[in-house]
Amino acid sequence: MGFVVDTVGDVVVVEVEGQLIVGNRQELKQKVLERLERGDREFMIDFQNTGYIDSSGLGVLVSLSKKIREQGGTLRLANLNGDLRTLFELTKLDTLFEIIDSR
């Protein structure tokens, strides 16, 4: 379980490995906010290797989306599996985030 941060062109890509839950959500938030403070504005969170997101994980994504938008940036979510896509649809968060099929 962890996060891999990489830059592809102008986009900061954060890969979530394992689960995004109460135990690691602050680590994700810290990594993204550090890059936002450094001037990065384009972010993608890649869920290719993610099986589960709990409510605190959803909360941190909403918080990050708001902060990034306030700074004139964008946050995209990529590679949601069927269960995660359903979660975002049921919670109506699919209307808040730009969800893309792949990188």
Side-chain angles (χ1 to χ4, degrees), residues 20-21 47 50-55 57-58 61 80 84 87-88:
L20 180 56
I21 56 175
F47 292 102
T50 308
Y52 179 74
I53 302 173
D54 71 6
S55 59
L58 291 175
L61 292 174
L80 295 173
L84 294 180
L87 173 65
F88 277 82

Side-chain angles (χ1 to χ4, degrees), residues 12-23:
V12 176
V13 179
V14 182
E15 294 179 33
V16 179
E17 298 178 347
Q19 302 176 337
L20 180 56
I21 56 175
V22 70

